[in-house]
Amino acid sequence: MDSSADQSTDDAKTDDTGQDQSPPGQPDSAVAQLEDRWRRAAADLDNLRKRYARDLDRERAAERSKVAAAWLPVLDNLELALAHAGSEPDAIVQGVQSIRDQAVQLLEQLGYARYAETGVPFSPTVHEVVGVVEAPDVPPGTVLEVVRPGYGENGGQLRPAAVVVSRGEG
């Protein structure tokens, strides 16, 4: 091996104390290499940021398309119900109820289950109180009526259920 050639190159740039012996105004080759590596790392980071932004936009568009496509059957059924609105009024009510059930099922498939239970204890994580009434026969803080159902669970909730609860004695 020719280690003496490597030492002579290093010896030409540094003295015995390790000080840089490059002529004034000339960049040290080690500093130049570090600058080059730093610039490449900065460029790689910039490219990574740009690729991440593109991937994020693409994923968002794909999710929007997936959700919109899942709602298309609900829209189709609403249009069918409206097309038959004048012929059979009872069938329209039944059709609208079926469409509502289909929409609730779709929300559940997307991870937002409906909850509209009464007779359960009030929970601030899933309920929003819109009214309080006297109800001596039930424990205080019991959900008596659901004014508007809630969807989703903790951490993935679309909205809390708007409820009327019983008042405590006192």
Side-chain angles (χ1 to χ4, degrees):
M1 295 304 257
D2 191 10
S3 62
S4 63
D6 291 336
Q7 288 179 343
S8 67
T9 306
D10 289 337
D11 288 342
K13 294 181 182 178
T14 58
D15 63 7
D16 293 339
T17 62
Q19 295 291 321
D20 183 21
Q21 294 298 308
S22 299
Q26 294 287 326
D28 183 22
S29 67
V31 171
Q33 282 182 336
L34 289 174
E35 281 181 0
D36 183 57
R37 291 174 66 189
W38 174 78
R39 289 177 203 273
R40 289 177 188 268
D44 287 345
L45 180 62
D46 189 46
N47 289 336
L48 182 65
R49 283 187 192 137
K50 290 175 184 173
R51 185 174 47 220
Y52 177 73
R54 280 192 313 265
D55 291 349
L56 188 61
D57 287 344
R58 187 178 55 235
E59 289 299 319
R60 284 181 178 155
E63 283 300 314
R64 276 196 312 269
S65 293
K66 210 184 288 184
V67 171
W71 279 99
L72 287 178
V74 174
L75 183 61
D76 292 341
N77 288 334
L78 279 172
E79 289 176 349
L80 283 174
L82 290 173
H84 294 92
S87 60
E88 299 176 44
D90 292 339
I92 296 303
V93 172
Q94 188 177 20
V96 170
Q97 287 174 339
S98 295
I99 294 168
R100 187 211 51 197
D101 293 343
Q102 186 180 20
V104 169
Q105 183 182 11
L106 177 61
L107 283 172
E108 191 171 315
Q109 289 172 351
L110 292 173
Y112 301 104
R114 176 185 171 122
Y115 54 90
E117 288 184 72
T118 58
V120 297
F122 171 77
S123 171
T125 59
V126 295
H127 296 124
E128 175 184 16
V129 176
V130 295
V132 179
V133 297
E134 294 288 335
D137 298 340
V138 295
T142 301
V143 174
L144 298 175
E145 179 185 355
V146 176
V147 177
R148 185 190 65 212
Y151 293 92
E153 297 173 349
N154 295 337
Q157 189 178 52
L158 289 179
R159 71 175 184 200
V163 297
V164 175
V165 297
S166 62
R167 179 186 312 255
E169 294 178 20

